Amino acid sequence: RFQACVYFASVFQAMSCGIHYLASVFMAVTPNFVCGFPGNVSSVLFHNFSASSLQDTWTLWTSADNYIVVQLENGDIWELNQCSRSKREDSSDLAYEYQGNKSVFPCSDGFLYDDTKWKSTVVTQWDLVCDREWLAKLIQPTFMLGVLIGAVIFGDIADRLGRQRVIWFTSAGQFVFGIAVAFTFDYYSFVVVRFLLAMVSSGYLVVAFVYVTEFVGIKARTWASMHVHAFFAVGIMIVALVGFLVRTWWVYQIFLSIATIPFVLCCWMLPETPFWLLSEERYEEAQKVINIMARWNKINTPCKVSELYSVQQDDQVSDRTGEKDTSSAKKHNILDLFCNWQIARRTITVWLIWFTGSLGYYVFSLSSVSLGGNEYLNLFLIGAVELPCYIIACIAMDKLGRRNTLIPFLILSALICVLIMFIPQDFNILIILANMAGKFSIGVAFGLIYLYTAELYPTIVRSLAVGSGSMMCRVGSVVAPFCVYLRSVWIFMPLLLVGIMALLSGILTIMLPETLGKPLTNTLVEATEMGRNKKSCSGKTPPAHSGTAPEKIEMFGQETISTEK
């Protein structure tokens, strides 16, 4: 009961991470626009259509190459393009086609935007079009850069100051910075505050994974950690719903941010994890938390910290007289992930899978609003399809194995990317379903790689391997927005890149060993041997200190792994 309450309270806030990660898909949208004009309009021409208001012509706008002809009350006739405007020398005849002389002017009177879908976005607020378009394209990459930096900073702080304090600070920070974004006064302050929001959102997600992993028992740990992603996906669905209901960007941002309030009000009640307290030798506080857990769970004989500590001390003495694992573990660095060809090849493959999973995840998510049809429904479905994919991943990785699940889903996502290229653009429903299938397949692979990486490496470099893979994941999330922008070069360019990466990752994964049912390795020699002789690996990797107290302590609290989208 206690673990369930802590778990659902913690993952509830993970929804706000999904909200802020994808909020820009509607906040920074660029509607149709043309140059402004100096004066009041009397009539408007667009091909064979005439109107008295510019707003009546937006429904006919089909391409950025189009232009609109307007006649002002003073008789001047202007041709309005997106990034320039032309004044006709002969204003005696109002016609769409004109072969006479024209004077070209810059858009010094600002721009006129189509507000039929979005009343206001950050693009229309600060005119992030034409020569300022690159500023709009930096909004999501700078956010993802904040995600990368925040994960590193708050992950380290959580190890130093505790999980509880970081959860308090980052959850409050998501609310404060989320609201502050809505009241920024210019583009640069908007980007800076969004960067800070990204840091605390990323920090919360990293620490929340560790926090729930340290509280949830071993039997439910795989499902519990995997379904933190599911709550992230619910946040994406909330973005679609709020975007449909609210069409002004700063009001939209406020509504998204207040989703944090329930957790901010109650997060102070969440306790520190006993494992962190034990690691800091704060045994009395750890005992208090364990006693509270025992009362909630109606256990009459709670675990005694003094007994665990005495067993741990005995094990440390045996370690000093034996292999001295503790001192040797401190000497390892990232170069150990390339200590021989077998491990180096494994590291390159794992890094590629992390990068591809993140790249594919965000390419499918960010480009969903450009698939045609209802963009709000598209994003909602792209988020909803994640919910069953993590269930399938949990079942398949336990029944078929980690590698045997990862390979087909990576290759399937590559095939789906190719399939989408051959679907006619008029078949919107089929395109959306194919993108949902692509997001599903890449989501399975993306969710599975966290656990698989931990099992592929020995204890002495396991955290290092997962941490470096997570960094590659964040690099993929930074690259993904730029990949989506390549649609302007070729509409299928993002899918082509994701497909190539997924296919390459799937092929290289064939060379990885299966880890299902195998004991965790302790040394690089054992990990290398697992790759060379997959059938007899378990026989060659006897668990260290079999049946001793350290093994029992590990069963109570295994090494936790911080993971993040």
Side-chain angles (χ1 to χ4, degrees):
R1 185 185 305 170
F2 180 88
Q3 282 89 337
C5 290
V6 168
Y7 176 78
F8 285 108
S10 302
V11 297
F12 174 83
Q13 183 69 1
M15 290 192 299
S16 67
C17 298
I19 286 172
H20 294 305
Y21 275 44
L22 272 296
S24 67
V25 295
F26 296 129
M27 186 193 308
V29 70
T30 302
N32 295 325
F33 67 94
V34 293
C35 265
F37 45 84
N40 298 321
V41 63
S42 61
S43 58
V44 179
L45 283 180
F46 185 76
H47 293 290
N48 296 325
F49 177 80
S50 61
S52 58
S53 172
L54 190 64
Q55 298 298 323
D56 298 330
T57 63
W58 290 125
T59 55
L60 305 175
W61 188 277
T62 57
S63 170
D65 297 328
N66 291 331
Y67 66 91
I68 296 175
V69 178
V70 297
Q71 185 172 36
L72 306 184
E73 291 180 348
N74 62 6
D76 291 342
I77 299 177
W78 290 81
E79 291 182 9
L80 307 178
N81 298 85
Q82 285 199 327
C83 296
S84 65
R85 54 183 181 172
S86 304
K87 182 180 179 182
R88 294 179 179 177
E89 298 295 336
D90 183 7
S91 58
S92 59
D93 182 29
L94 178 61
Y96 190 76
E97 299 293 341
Y98 176 74
Q99 302 297 328
N101 296 327
K102 294 181 287 188
S103 300
V104 180
F105 297 90
C107 300
S108 55
D109 291 298
F111 300 87
L112 301 173
Y113 298 95
D114 177 10
D115 60 1
T116 54
K117 280 188 177 181
W118 298 280
K119 298 300 180 184
S120 173
T121 71
V122 294
V123 173
T124 64
Q125 180 90 9
W126 296 304
D127 288 337
L128 305 180
V129 293
C130 297
D131 58 342
R132 287 167 57 87
E133 182 183 9
W134 65 277
L135 294 174
K137 291 185 175 181
L138 281 180
I139 290 175
Q140 189 66 16
T142 52
F143 184 92
M144 289 302 182
L145 183 62
V147 167
L148 190 155
I149 296 175
V152 174
I153 292 176
F154 287 106
D156 181 64
I157 293 176
D159 287 337
R160 296 174 183 271
L161 302 181
R163 289 77 165 99
Q164 182 192 49
R165 292 180 181 178
V166 174
I167 282 179
W168 289 354
F169 178 80
T170 53
S171 57
Q174 284 188 79
F175 175 73
V176 172
F177 292 129
I179 297 295
V181 167
F183 295 98
T184 48
F185 52 87
D186 63 5
Y187 169 80
Y188 299 102
S189 62
F190 170 82
V191 170
V192 169
V193 177
R194 281 259 302 171
F195 183 85
L196 297 175
L197 176 61
M199 289 181 61
V200 294
S201 298
S202 171
Y204 180 86
L205 202 57
V206 167
V207 179
F209 268 107
V210 177
Y211 188 76
V212 300
T213 304
E214 291 181 349
F215 269 114
V216 176
I218 293 174
K219 291 182 179 179
R221 187 165 292 161
T222 299
W223 284 76
S225 61
M226 185 75 77
H227 281 80
V228 174
H229 298 297
F231 284 87
F232 186 95
V234 172
I236 297 176
M237 297 162 66
I238 292 174
V239 170
L241 179 62
V242 175
F244 175 74
L245 297 175
V246 182
R247 306 298 177 90
T248 303
W249 78 267
W250 60 272
V251 180
Y252 161 86
Q253 176 65 27
I254 291 175
F255 272 91
L256 291 178
S257 299
I258 61 176
T260 314
I261 289 181
F263 184 79
V264 172
L265 296 177
C266 69
C267 70
W268 61 272
M269 293 186 290
L270 292 177
E272 184 57 80
T273 66
F275 299 120
W276 184 82
L277 293 172
L278 287 172
S279 69
E280 295 293 310
E281 300 183 357
R282 293 160 63 173
Y283 303 114
E284 292 183 3
E285 296 177 52
Q287 187 64 63
K288 290 180 182 179
V289 176
I290 292 173
N291 292 339
I292 294 173
M293 294 168 66
R295 287 198 300 270
W296 274 65
N297 296 336
K298 298 182 179 180
I299 296 175
N300 297 324
T301 56
C303 171
K304 299 295 183 182
V305 169
S306 57
E307 297 176 2
L308 286 176
Y309 176 64
S310 63
V311 170
Q312 198 171 20
Q313 288 291 90
D314 293 340
D315 178 59
Q316 289 175 356
V317 172
S318 65
D319 278 348
R320 292 192 195 101
T321 59
E323 298 178 1
K324 297 183 180 179
D325 290 338
T326 305
S327 60
S328 63
K330 295 179 181 178
K331 299 178 182 179
H332 291 282
N333 56 54
I334 198 168
L335 295 179
D336 290 302
L337 300 180
F338 300 88
C339 63
N340 58 54
W341 167 243
Q342 197 82 5
I343 298 297
R345 186 176 62 186
R346 186 178 305 177
T347 299
I348 293 172
T349 301
V350 167
W351 282 4
L352 185 63
I353 297 171
W354 279 88
F355 178 85
T356 302
S358 180
L359 180 70
Y361 183 93
Y362 285 106
V363 165
F364 279 115
S365 298
L366 294 172
S367 60
S368 62
V369 295
S370 305
L371 298 178
N374 190 311
E375 56 268 33
Y376 306 103
L377 180 60
N378 294 350
L379 184 63
F380 184 89
L381 293 176
I382 285 292
V385 77
E386 284 190 59
L387 303 183
C389 97
Y390 298 126
I391 298 175
I392 298 297
C394 288
I395 296 174
M397 63 195 284
D398 288 337
K399 298 294 183 182
L400 303 177
R402 283 71 159 121
R403 184 188 62 174
N404 295 337
T405 301
L406 191 58
I407 293 171
F409 277 102
L410 280 172
I411 295 178
L412 178 62
S413 61
L415 294 177
I416 291 173
C417 288
V418 175
L419 176 64
I420 295 174
M421 298 181 192
F422 291 96
I423 300 176
Q425 292 299 296
D426 297 335
F427 291 62
N428 286 338
I429 295 178
L430 193 57
I431 291 175
I432 293 168
L433 291 176
N435 275 268
M436 289 176 63
K439 177 69 177 296
F440 180 93
S441 57
I442 206 72
V444 171
F446 193 29
L448 190 153
I449 190 59
Y450 293 101
L451 179 62
Y452 193 30
T453 302
E455 294 175 340
L456 283 171
Y457 290 89
T459 303
I460 56 176
V461 293
R462 185 168 296 125
S463 293
L464 188 63
V466 175
S468 62
S470 185
M471 288 297 294
M472 292 302 298
C473 159
R474 296 180 192 118
V475 172
S477 66
V478 173
V479 173
F482 293 107
C483 186
V484 173
Y485 297 148
L486 291 176
R487 286 175 60 93
S488 60
V489 178
W490 184 41
I491 191 172
F492 296 123
M493 183 65 76
L495 291 173
L496 179 63
L497 295 177
V498 172
I500 292 173
M501 298 296 291
L503 181 62
L504 180 61
S505 301
I507 293 173
L508 292 177
T509 304
I510 297 174
M511 295 184 289
L512 295 178
E514 180 55 70
T515 60
L516 177 63
K518 306 289 177 65
L520 294 177
T521 56
N522 293 318
T523 66
L524 287 166
V525 174
E526 293 175 356
T528 304
E529 196 67 24
M530 177 175 64
R532 288 174 179 169
N533 192 350
K534 299 167 189 173
K535 292 185 179 179
S536 59
C537 175
S538 58
K540 293 189 178 184
T541 317
H545 310 290
S546 178
T548 59
E551 192 176 45
K552 295 176 184 177
I553 292 176
E554 185 179 5
M555 292 297 289
F556 180 68
Q558 290 180 337
E559 178 182 4
T560 56
I561 301 163
S562 67
T563 54
E564 190 218 347
K565 283 188 181 291

